[in-house]
Amino acid sequence: MDSPLAPQWLSRPQDTAALDPKIFSAGVARNGGEVTVQGLGVTELVERFGSPLWVMDENDFRSRARQYVDAFNTAFAPLCGGVDVFYASKALLTVQVAQWVKEEGLFMDTASGGELAIALRAGTDPAKIGLHGNNKSDDELQTAISKNIGRIVVDSLSELHRVEQLAEQLQLRANVMLRLTPGVDASTHEHIATAHEDQKFGLSMTPAPGEETSVAYQAVHFAAATKHIHLVGLHSHIGSQIFDSQGFETAATRMLEFIAVLDAESIQVAELDIGGGYGIAYTEADDPDGPEVIATNLARHIDAETARLGVDCPRISIEPGRSIAGPAGMTIYTVGTTKTVWVEHGGEHYPRRYVAVDGGMSDNPRPVLYDADYTAVLANRVSDVDPVFSRVVGKHCESGDIVVNTVYLPEDTDHGDLVVVPATGAYGHAMSSNYNMLTRPAIVAVKDGAAREIIRRETYADLFAREVDL
Ligand code: LLP
């Protein structure tokens, strides 16, 4: 029987050994009962590299990256020419990851001086780098201008004026895209929706009360008329972990309508970036479209809208992050303590089993930040003991330190077992911390059946490394 404490979408699994291919990376399977990545067992991986452990299926990452390039170029080629796919590096960035991105023919989207430094360190062609941020420092802007990166995505009128001044001082011309807020309320968690009016990102497309023109309009005119700015195009990003294509289409329409207005004033907008945000499956409840479906629908929509408005199709770019890195990654944890509590619900009491693992909100803060759901499997063996309604928790000093809020795990899952949480490749390592002075796990990349560390595990020496005057 399903637990009355379980959310509606979660059903008691027929087979607790099953690995849902829409959630796990392509290289994951069971062999002799054990979860393997490209044939490498989780027990061996933990013996070699320690626990907890982030594992990136490098082949899976690369193939998802390529699929975006291929699908978008195929769908858009007949109408807008090629599409530039920028990998949103905030999802997961190391120098090696940046090299995978480069080798697969993607461009790099960065959102800080640090991300930019890693992209450059990986040898990314500056012309293929974009820099985002609602509050870039002068230092970050000067680096971007002097490296002549492909696009600085300017977020406000005041930043636009600053870019112009800095470029003039450097006697250079800055490549600028303008990030606009098309007023779309994307259906996702409010902390990761970014195109509605009342939030910090972007130039508003709606004139303020009493004004004739919007700040977006004023910014385009300023950028187009200014010597030290090369206006590359316009940008919109509506949010993240989005499944419904309606939001992307509405945003594209508003951007193209604006482009038509500018076109009538002889300001040609050469490029349009429609951002990232494509959702992935974290649990059985999620059913994301693949890149082919997303690309085909968007191409059809943009084709119809450019025809309706009588404008040429600009060169399109996109910025997927999560949908490339997320499904390629998983986290292996070791089980420590367990307990069962009885929870009152509708006058009855029902059991919930707590399974505590050796990581938590320091390696994945998404559950505590966004109420994000995940799933987990017993990974070092299969069990024929019945599954029980469980919650996987971490080892931090907070009751909100939840790794997987609701999941059915075999009742004998216990001390020393390994548990795998899939789909942790994006915004896990990227948002990790040393809370409670936990040392961060290593990242191991598995490629063609061989595993290697790309980020080593932190040690206590790392915790002391920034202490001054020890
Ligand atoms: N482009 C821009 C301008 C963005 O701000 C973002 C994400 C992306 C692209 C990539 O979005 P993606 O394809 O990865 O959804 N920490 C949150 C997600 C924050 C996303 C911020 N911007 C999470 O863990 O859900």
Side-chain angles (χ1 to χ4, degrees):
M1 199 191 74
D2 285 355
S3 167
L5 303 176
Q8 255 194 345
W9 57 263
L10 181 69
S11 53
R12 194 187 186 80
Q14 297 293 325
D15 174 11
T16 51
L19 304 169
D20 187 340
K22 82 177 174 189
I23 307 175
F24 286 84
S25 79
V28 174
R30 276 203 197 257
N31 188 358
E34 194 185 9
V35 171
T36 58
V37 186
Q38 297 181 22
L40 300 172
V42 288
T43 308
E44 181 199 330
L45 288 170
V46 162
E47 275 167 16
R48 281 177 65 192
F49 302 108
S51 173
L53 188 65
W54 283 304
V55 181
M56 289 304 296
D57 183 340
E58 182 178 337
N59 297 79
D60 185 270
F61 180 105
R62 286 176 181 267
S63 104
R64 282 174 207 276
R66 263 197 315 275
Q67 275 173 40
Y68 273 99
V69 174
D70 293 347
F72 272 80
N73 277 289
T74 305
F76 279 87
L79 87 128
C80 308
V83 173
D84 299 320
V85 180
F86 284 71
Y87 168 64
S89 67
K90 69 198 81 192
L92 173 70
L93 184 60
T94 74
V95 171
Q96 296 224 22
V97 167
Q99 276 158 358
W100 307 346
V101 168
K102 183 176 68 171
E103 284 163 17
E104 298 305 332
L106 284 77
F107 291 27
M108 275 289 258
D109 162 32
T110 64
S112 71
E115 288 181 358
L116 178 58
I118 292 185
L120 291 169
R121 177 68 197 263
T124 310
D125 176 0
K128 296 184 175 175
I129 298 179
L131 177 66
H132 269 282
N134 69 302
N135 186 21
K136 303 174 198 74
S137 67
D138 284 358
D139 224 34
E140 289 171 325
L141 289 171
Q142 277 158 343
T143 306
I145 297 167
S146 52
K147 296 281 178 193
N148 197 24
I149 70 164
R151 53 178 68 167
I152 299 169
V153 186
V154 167
D155 211 88
S156 63
L157 211 44
S158 63
E159 186 186 46
L160 185 62
H161 295 147
R162 207 145 45 90
V163 169
E164 143 80 5
Q165 283 164 11
L166 293 169
E168 187 178 5
Q169 284 161 17
L170 293 164
Q171 285 302 300
L172 292 168
R173 202 153 178 244
N175 300 314
V176 163
M177 237 186 191
L178 295 172
R179 176 165 175 176
L180 313 187
T181 43
V184 175
D185 224 338
S187 47
T188 186
H189 191 282
E190 67 164 300
H191 291 168
I192 52 178
T194 53
H196 50 297
E197 282 291 314
D198 192 6
Q199 46 82 36
K200 69 174 184 171
F201 293 108
L203 293 140
S204 173
M205 297 172 79
T206 313
E211 295 276 324
E212 297 251 300
T213 59
S214 65
V215 283
Y217 181 91
Q218 294 159 27
V220 169
H221 276 266
F222 179 84
T226 305
K227 195 163 133 223
H228 293 284
I229 286 178
H230 165 227
L231 180 61
V232 175
L234 301 180
H235 184 288
S236 78
H237 170 75
I238 62 169
S240 196
Q241 184 61 358
I242 293 166
F243 293 98
D244 182 5
S245 62
Q246 189 60 49
F248 295 113
E249 292 180 7
T250 307
T253 292
R254 300 216 175 128
M255 298 298 284
L256 290 168
E257 283 171 348
F258 186 51
I259 285 171
V261 169
L262 299 170
D263 196 60
E265 299 174 359
S266 300
I267 296 180
Q268 263 85 44
V269 174
E271 297 199 33
L272 174 62
D273 190 319
I274 50 179
Y278 313 120
I280 65 165
Y282 286 102
T283 70
E284 64 191 67
D286 301 324
D287 221 349
D289 288 330
E292 288 80 12
V293 172
I294 299 168
T296 309
N297 288 343
L298 269 171
R300 193 183 302 130
H301 180 78
I302 289 176
D303 189 25
E305 290 298 80
T306 46
R308 174 176 74 85
L309 295 161
V311 289
D312 290 341
C313 185
R315 185 174 177 90
I316 299 292
S317 43
I318 58 167
E319 294 172 343
R322 185 194 314 266
S323 52
I324 292 173
M330 68 182 205
T331 312
I332 311 175
Y333 297 100
T334 304
V335 176
T337 54
T338 60
K339 71 169 184 180
T340 299
V341 298
W342 291 84
V343 182
E344 209 236 275
H345 180 86
E348 301 283 329
H349 285 80
Y350 301 96
R352 185 200 302 276
R353 192 152 188 273
Y354 276 82
V355 176
V357 297
D358 51 353
M361 62 192 287
S362 54
D363 61 74
N364 188 0
R366 299 194 67 259
V368 72
L369 283 176
Y370 320 115
D371 286 325
D373 285 312
Y374 284 83
T375 191
V377 294
L378 174 62
N380 54 313
R381 62 188 175 93
V382 288
S383 165
D384 51 16
V385 176
D386 279 349
V388 289
F389 186 60
S390 305
R391 173 172 285 167
V392 182
V393 295
K395 61 180 286 164
H396 291 275
C397 301
E398 291 199 25
S399 53
D401 172 31
I402 289 168
V403 176
V404 181
N405 192 29
T406 57
V407 61
Y408 289 91
L409 285 172
E411 191 167 14
D412 63 342
T413 303
D414 219 326
H415 186 86
D417 275 327
L418 300 180
V419 157
V420 158
V421 176
T424 57
Y427 304 114
H429 173 264
M431 294 201 296
S432 61
S433 74
N434 287 121
Y435 184 38
N436 290 137
M437 290 293 137
L438 261 66
T439 49
R440 274 173 284 204
I443 306 180
V444 161
V446 183
K447 184 177 181 223
D448 303 334
R452 67 184 198 287
E453 257 178 343
I454 59 168
I455 291 285
R456 68 160 172 79
R457 180 174 303 281
E458 276 178 336
T459 64
Y460 289 160
D462 291 313
L463 299 181
F464 305 137
R466 290 184 304 135
E467 294 272 356
V468 181
D469 283 344
L470 259 196

